[in-house]
Amino acid sequence: MEEKKIYTDSGIEVKPLYNGTGELELPGQFPFTRGVQPDMYRGKLWTMRQYAGFSTAEESNKRYHYLLSQGVNGLSVAFDLPTQIGYDSDHALAEGEVGKVGVAVDSIEDIQTLFNGIKLEDVSTSMTINATGFILLSFYVALAKQQGADLKKITGTIQNDILKEYAARGTYIYPPKPSMRIITDIFEWCSHELPKWNTISISGYHIREAGSTAVQEIAFTLANGKAYVKAALEKGLDINVFGKRLSFFFNAHNNLFEEAAKFRAARRMWAHMMKELGATDPKAMMLRFHTQTGGSTLTAQQPLNNISRVTIQTLAAVLGGTQSLHTNGYDEALSLPTEEAARIALRTQQIVAFESGAPDTVDPLAGSYYVEALTDEIEKMAWELIAKIDVMGGSVSAIEQGFIQDEIARSAYEYQRNIENGSKIIVGVNKFEVNEPNTTPVFRIDDSIRAIQTEKLRQLKNNRDPGKVDQCLQEINDRAGSGENLMPAVITAVENKCTLGEIADELRAVYGEYK
């Protein structure tokens, strides 16, 4: 089939690829600096996601249907804090947090409600969940089976990246070694049963949100990726199989050219890293990634300015070759995004996709003296950091010694100091301020949600077989001790109405908690 021709508004034909006079690497070929597909967005646009989840499953389901009606083609689920750290909504430690930063999910019934009216075979779902990622994946698989879906066709991603939780974010439960064991169990089970599912989204996003630089973001993220690959290899898994299901999650900040160069450098570095670790299939060497615009860059002062920031960050992600993108609402420094803010955020992606011309040619910035030099410099500095981590024995050891945390803290301190002394200008914060009352509408979550979830849990427990529940939890305990793969037992447990908190507690009894 003849490829459709693309023209600028002046009638100039846009070529699929520009190489200039020098010998540049080709997109779709090792080491993938210029993109993972030969035709990039000329063949298929990135997946437009909107990260959403709040309150109860019923309320989040309404937002998902709204976003799908507005042109979103991938869902991205945010979970509340108790769900992230393995507590049911009726637990004492969940008080004040239920449904606040994401949706509360306690059981299979909540997942049924969350995706009510949505065929899981028809959407790609990303779930930002780590310590309890194996439980949320089990809920999702159980629902897919109830819908009669072909598990071989189910697509999506669980974040499942526990190392960055120890380094930057804090929603861990178990110590590092058993946590790594759970992750490799997921790799192994999905390689047989859920072959199109991305089993991990190795995340630089939260490392950047904690205050790292762009260089540190990719260095620490790729070092963590290397640790996961080594753990999977030690379990006897095939790098050419599980390597294809690894994905990454990066941040996009406001320095357009540095951010685009960062993505190009990360792809090249990962390709070389995977080759060195034994991958021979080019698809197992490809760094595929989701991008989210930078939450920490958004300001509560003059929040409408954030629309401009998100636009620059969207362009950086697209020019850098992202596979999937979430754009933040302009009001997110104040609250969860309102429906209007979520729509404007999605429209920002659509304007870049259909009006900017950025997707019309592969790697539009290739050959720019500035961008190519930045790509090389970022790569060089990132390799230097990774070499330091390797000397310490890898990411797990570097985290245990506090190296990664200290590096991030130092960068965060420098950045804040530069804002305070005026050498770094943030429009509306330390320059071009206005004295006007903020009238931006905010989105609030009512504390009564905990009572609603508690009542649901009471009914669930009254309508299940206690003997079956005990049997399922004992099987999880036995497998945790024996080293057998946990996933089949957890899926059976959620199908028999065991709750997230009960499953997480069963493993707390075996592994203990990381302090």
Side-chain angles (χ1 to χ4, degrees):
M1 193 173 90
E2 192 178 340
E3 190 186 66
K4 179 187 167 192
K5 294 194 172 184
I6 296 173
Y7 298 89
T8 70
D9 290 344
S10 302
I12 300 163
E13 186 178 345
V14 181
K15 295 179 189 174
L17 189 65
Y18 290 86
N19 271 346
T21 53
E23 284 296 312
L24 284 174
E25 297 161 341
L26 292 175
Q29 293 182 21
F30 182 90
F32 309 107
T33 312
R34 301 186 63 193
V36 292
Q37 301 298 339
D39 57 354
M40 284 304 288
Y41 305 132
R42 285 174 72 105
K44 183 188 174 190
L45 287 172
W46 62 92
T47 301
M48 296 184 195
R49 297 187 186 277
Q50 280 308 108
Y51 186 45
F54 54 87
S55 181
T56 60
E58 289 87 349
E59 290 303 312
S60 291
N61 177 260
K62 288 176 193 171
R63 178 65 66 90
Y64 294 157
H65 280 285
Y66 172 75
L67 290 169
L68 289 166
S69 76
Q70 295 298 308
V72 155
N73 49 16
L75 297 175
S76 195
V77 186
F79 297 96
D80 73 359
L81 201 53
T83 303
Q84 292 180 48
I85 53 176
Y87 294 120
D88 289 334
S89 298
D90 59 359
H91 193 284
L93 291 176
E95 187 169 356
E97 295 294 343
V98 177
K100 289 294 175 71
V101 298
V103 61
V105 174
D106 296 319
S107 74
I108 181 71
E109 291 181 356
D110 286 327
I111 285 286
Q112 289 164 344
T113 303
L114 189 63
F115 292 101
N116 184 34
I118 299 168
K119 280 185 70 180
L120 300 192
E121 261 191 41
D122 295 344
V123 294
S124 168
T125 303
S126 170
M127 295 190 277
T128 303
I129 196 76
N130 297 284
T132 54
F134 67 106
I135 306 174
L136 269 300
L137 179 59
S138 298
F139 285 146
Y140 197 82
V141 168
L143 177 59
K145 286 164 69 178
Q146 287 175 2
Q147 288 187 356
D150 180 352
L151 294 187
K152 301 285 190 281
K153 293 180 182 174
I154 295 292
T155 60
T157 306
I158 43 169
Q159 193 162 99
N160 197 29
D161 174 9
I162 203 66
L163 291 179
K164 66 97 175 49
E165 296 297 327
Y166 302 116
R169 193 162 170 269
T171 64
Y172 45 75
I173 303 173
Y174 315 113
K177 285 188 174 63
S179 294
M180 293 292 277
R181 173 259 166 101
I182 293 169
I183 287 166
T184 53
D185 277 3
I186 294 168
F187 288 1
E188 182 180 49
W189 185 84
C190 287
S191 68
H192 302 299
E193 306 296 334
L194 214 64
K196 289 191 172 182
W197 191 266
N198 295 323
T199 49
I200 193 167
S201 177
I202 305 158
S203 176
Y205 184 85
H206 303 95
I207 289 169
R208 192 66 179 281
E209 290 293 280
S212 82
T213 64
V215 168
Q216 289 170 332
E217 179 188 352
I218 63 166
F220 298 153
T221 306
L222 298 186
N224 287 349
K226 188 177 184 179
Y228 293 125
V229 171
K230 284 188 164 182
L233 289 171
E234 283 166 16
K235 200 178 176 91
L237 303 185
D238 184 347
I239 192 169
N240 287 321
V241 176
F242 75 79
K244 294 175 190 172
R245 301 310 338 148
L246 305 177
S247 66
F248 288 80
F249 174 25
F250 290 120
N251 210 314
H253 275 215
N254 291 327
N255 190 319
L256 178 68
F257 299 106
E258 183 179 53
E259 294 299 298
K262 173 189 80 178
F263 299 131
R264 299 171 89 250
R267 269 195 300 272
R268 187 158 70 200
M269 292 173 71
W270 184 247
H272 285 293
M273 198 180 270
M274 286 295 274
K275 190 173 185 181
E276 195 177 296
L277 289 164
T280 54
D281 186 329
K283 288 191 173 174
M285 304 177 204
M286 285 180 181
L287 183 146
R288 297 166 302 112
F289 66 100
H290 169 71
T291 309
Q292 182 173 337
T293 56
S296 64
T297 68
L298 305 183
T299 63
Q301 301 92 328
Q302 302 176 45
L304 289 174
N305 292 346
N306 294 328
I307 297 172
S308 300
R309 293 185 176 101
V310 169
T311 303
I312 292 167
Q313 294 163 11
T314 301
L315 266 173
V318 171
L319 294 171
T322 194
Q323 278 59 68
S324 165
L325 180 60
H326 162 83
T327 33
N328 287 27
Y330 67 83
D331 54 0
E332 287 187 45
L334 301 166
S335 70
L336 288 167
T338 58
E339 204 166 84
E340 181 201 44
R343 185 177 67 248
I344 290 170
L346 175 61
R347 293 289 181 260
T348 302
Q349 291 200 53
Q350 291 164 336
I351 289 166
V352 169
F354 299 108
E355 298 184 32
S356 74
D360 291 350
T361 188
V362 177
D363 197 14
L365 296 180
S368 153
Y369 295 131
Y370 180 41
V371 171
E372 296 296 350
L374 272 176
T375 303
D376 293 345
E377 191 63 27
I378 288 168
E379 181 181 7
K380 175 174 165 285
M381 292 170 71
W383 279 127
E384 286 169 0
L385 271 175
I386 289 170
K388 289 181 182 177
I389 291 167
D390 285 344
V391 167
M392 293 177 194
S395 271
V396 176
S397 298
I399 288 164
E400 286 173 344
Q401 292 173 49
F403 170 74
I404 291 175
Q405 299 93 309
D406 289 348
E407 286 287 301
I408 294 169
R410 183 179 50 75
S411 295
Y413 173 75
E414 278 294 310
Y415 184 80
Q416 187 58 35
R417 194 172 68 169
N418 289 338
I419 291 171
E420 287 172 8
N421 67 27
S423 59
K424 173 74 179 173
I425 291 169
I426 306 295
V427 173
V429 174
N430 63 353
K431 199 160 189 179
F432 314 114
E433 301 104 312
V434 291
N435 287 318
E436 291 176 358
N438 193 340
T439 56
T440 306
V442 294
F443 186 52
R444 301 198 187 280
I445 301 298
D446 197 288
D447 279 332
S448 64
I449 284 150
R450 185 166 186 247
I452 294 167
Q453 287 298 114
T454 299
E455 177 55 23
K456 283 191 203 168
L457 280 164
R458 190 188 66 77
Q459 289 181 19
L460 173 95
K461 290 175 181 178
N462 284 340
N463 294 320
R464 65 183 188 177
D465 182 337
K468 272 276 188 193
V469 168
D470 290 344
Q471 191 181 330
C472 289
L473 294 174
Q474 187 57 51
E475 176 66 13
I476 290 169
N477 190 300
D478 291 345
R479 283 180 177 241
S482 71
E484 275 185 277
N485 195 299
L486 287 165
M487 284 301 293
V490 178
I491 292 167
T492 302
V494 303
E495 288 174 331
N496 283 283
K497 301 187 178 180
C498 293
T499 69
L500 173 128
E502 289 169 336
I503 295 166
D505 280 349
E506 200 60 42
L507 293 182
R508 278 186 178 96
V510 179
Y511 298 141
E513 289 187 282
Y514 183 71
K515 302 295 184 188

